[in-house]
């Protein structure tokens, strides 16, 4: 198999790797990360100054799945969604999920003190084919558009320090922790190229 992969110029002191129409930060191969929700309590669904970033193509999928998701939602979140819909815009005009009183995502649900996603709960129960917004699924990878390329960066957030420690302890690279999300976004062939490029044996 021939892979269309090569290194790009240094960007903020980090090597960037081009795979097809994506530019991947080498940090995704080098940094370690694995969510540890027992410690962080799913705080990423609560903290932040805006909801989860959305792609325009996700909105009709979310709207189609909403009736199946509603039974999983918290009362306050459901009230917000019934009033505002499944999306709104942040201060930069970007599409995001709505928030409850400026705090948690309207689709956050709380089980034993841990914030989870109502869409994901419905998906795991076979009620919907839409798992959750891809930006949530991909975190801590953030995707930025740069011309015809998607630029994939590793995002650092203080609230995820337990995930960094867990990833280091278990030696899980960021890209491998997010295999399912990356395959969902870019496909199996793209992920195989990233896996090959890493030169790291998979478990």
């Amino acid at each position: 198999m021939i892979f269309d992969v090569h290194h790009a110029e240094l960007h903020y002191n980090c090597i960037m790797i081009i795979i097809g129409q994506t530019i991947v930060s080498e940090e995704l191969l080098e940094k370690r990360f694995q969510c540890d929700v027992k410690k962080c309590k799913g705080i990423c669904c609560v903290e932040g100054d805006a909801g989860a970033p959305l792609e325009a193509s996700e909105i009709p999928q979310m709207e189609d799945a909403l009736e199946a998701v509603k039974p999983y939602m918290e009362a306050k979140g459901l009230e917000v969604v019934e009033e505002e819909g499944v999306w709104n815009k942040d201060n930069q005009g970007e599409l995001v999920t709505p928030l409850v009183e400026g705090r948690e995502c309207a689709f956050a649900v709380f089980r034993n003190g841990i914030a989870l996603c109502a869409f994901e709960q419905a998906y795991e129960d076979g009620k919907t084919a839409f798992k959750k917004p891809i930006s949530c699924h991909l975190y801590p990878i953030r995707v930025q558009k740069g011309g015809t390329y998607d630029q994939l960066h590793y995002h650092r957030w203080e609230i995820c320090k337990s995930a960094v420690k867990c990833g280091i302890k278990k030696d899980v690279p960021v890209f491998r922790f997010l295999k399912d999300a990356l395959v969902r976004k870019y496909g199996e062939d793209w992920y195989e190229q990233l896996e090959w490029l890493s030169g790291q044996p998979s478990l």
Side-chain angles (χ1 to χ4, degrees), residues 35-42 114-116 162:
C35 283
D36 189 354
V37 294
K38 289 183 179 179
K39 291 187 177 179
C40 74
K41 307 299 183 183
I114 296 174
L116 303 170
S162 62

Side-chain angles (χ1 to χ4, degrees), residues 49-54 87-97 99:
D49 55 6
L54 296 174
W87 65 276
N88 57 29
K89 292 186 177 182
D90 64 14
N91 293 333
Q92 285 72 48
E94 300 295 329
L95 299 172
V96 293
T97 58
L99 299 179

Side-chain angles (χ1 to χ4, degrees), residues 3-94:
F3 291 148
D4 177 21
V5 176
H6 60 279
H7 286 79
E9 63 189 56
L10 288 175
H11 179 73
Y12 298 112
N13 297 318
C14 179
I15 293 174
M16 308 298 288
I17 304 152
I18 298 175
I19 306 177
Q21 294 303 116
T22 63
I23 301 176
V24 180
S25 167
E26 197 170 49
E27 287 190 309
L28 305 190
L29 311 183
E30 295 177 343
K31 300 298 183 181
R32 269 46 183 167
F33 192 100
Q34 181 163 311
C35 283
D36 189 354
V37 294
K38 289 183 179 179
K39 291 187 177 179
C40 74
K41 307 299 183 183
I43 194 66
C44 60
C45 295
V46 177
E47 292 293 334
D49 55 6
L54 296 174
E55 297 182 358
S57 61
E58 292 181 308
I59 292 174
Q61 297 178 66
M62 294 170 68
E63 291 174 339
D64 287 345
L66 186 58
E67 287 304 313
V69 172
K70 282 181 177 180
Y72 295 84
M73 295 177 65
E74 302 285 336
K76 288 185 177 180
L78 183 56
E79 183 179 341
V80 169
V81 169
E82 289 182 336
E83 181 177 335
E84 300 182 17
V86 301
W87 65 276
N88 57 29
K89 292 186 177 182
D90 64 14
N91 293 333
Q92 285 72 48
E94 300 295 329

Side-chain angles (χ1 to χ4, degrees), residues 25-201:
S25 167
E26 197 170 49
E27 287 190 309
L28 305 190
L29 311 183
E30 295 177 343
K31 300 298 183 181
R32 269 46 183 167
F33 192 100
Q34 181 163 311
C35 283
D36 189 354
V37 294
K38 289 183 179 179
K39 291 187 177 179
C40 74
K41 307 299 183 183
I43 194 66
C44 60
C45 295
V46 177
E47 292 293 334
D49 55 6
L54 296 174
E55 297 182 358
S57 61
E58 292 181 308
I59 292 174
Q61 297 178 66
M62 294 170 68
E63 291 174 339
D64 287 345
L66 186 58
E67 287 304 313
V69 172
K70 282 181 177 180
Y72 295 84
M73 295 177 65
E74 302 285 336
K76 288 185 177 180
L78 183 56
E79 183 179 341
V80 169
V81 169
E82 289 182 336
E83 181 177 335
E84 300 182 17
V86 301
W87 65 276
N88 57 29
K89 292 186 177 182
D90 64 14
N91 293 333
Q92 285 72 48
E94 300 295 329
L95 299 172
V96 293
T97 58
L99 299 179
V100 175
E101 298 175 353
R103 285 284 288 167
E104 70 267 21
C105 173
F107 299 105
V109 296
F110 298 90
R111 303 288 185 267
N112 299 317
I114 296 174
L116 303 170
C117 175
F119 277 103
E120 190 165 22
Q121 297 298 294
Y123 173 85
E124 289 179 352
D125 285 346
K127 303 297 185 181
T128 173
F130 182 77
K131 186 178 180 72
K132 58 182 173 181
I134 192 64
S135 67
C136 301
H137 201 183
L138 282 170
Y139 197 78
I141 293 176
R142 283 299 191 209
V143 180
Q144 295 179 319
K145 288 290 184 181
T148 59
Y149 287 87
D150 278 3
Q151 299 176 3
L152 280 64
H153 299 278
Y154 171 59
H155 185 257
R156 294 169 175 79
W157 198 359
E158 177 66 17
I159 65 173
C160 291
K161 61 184 179 181
S162 62
V164 174
K165 290 179 180 178
C166 184
I168 292 172
K169 181 179 180 180
K170 296 185 177 181
D171 193 25
V172 180
V174 172
F175 81 94
R176 196 165 285 147
F177 169 66
L178 293 171
K179 177 180 178 179
D180 289 348
L182 289 168
V183 169
R184 174 187 169 192
K185 177 69 172 175
Y186 297 111
E188 289 278 1
D189 288 345
W190 183 96
Y191 183 82
E192 285 182 14
Q193 295 180 53
L194 189 61
E195 188 72 68
W196 170 80
L197 184 65
S198 77
Q200 304 177 57

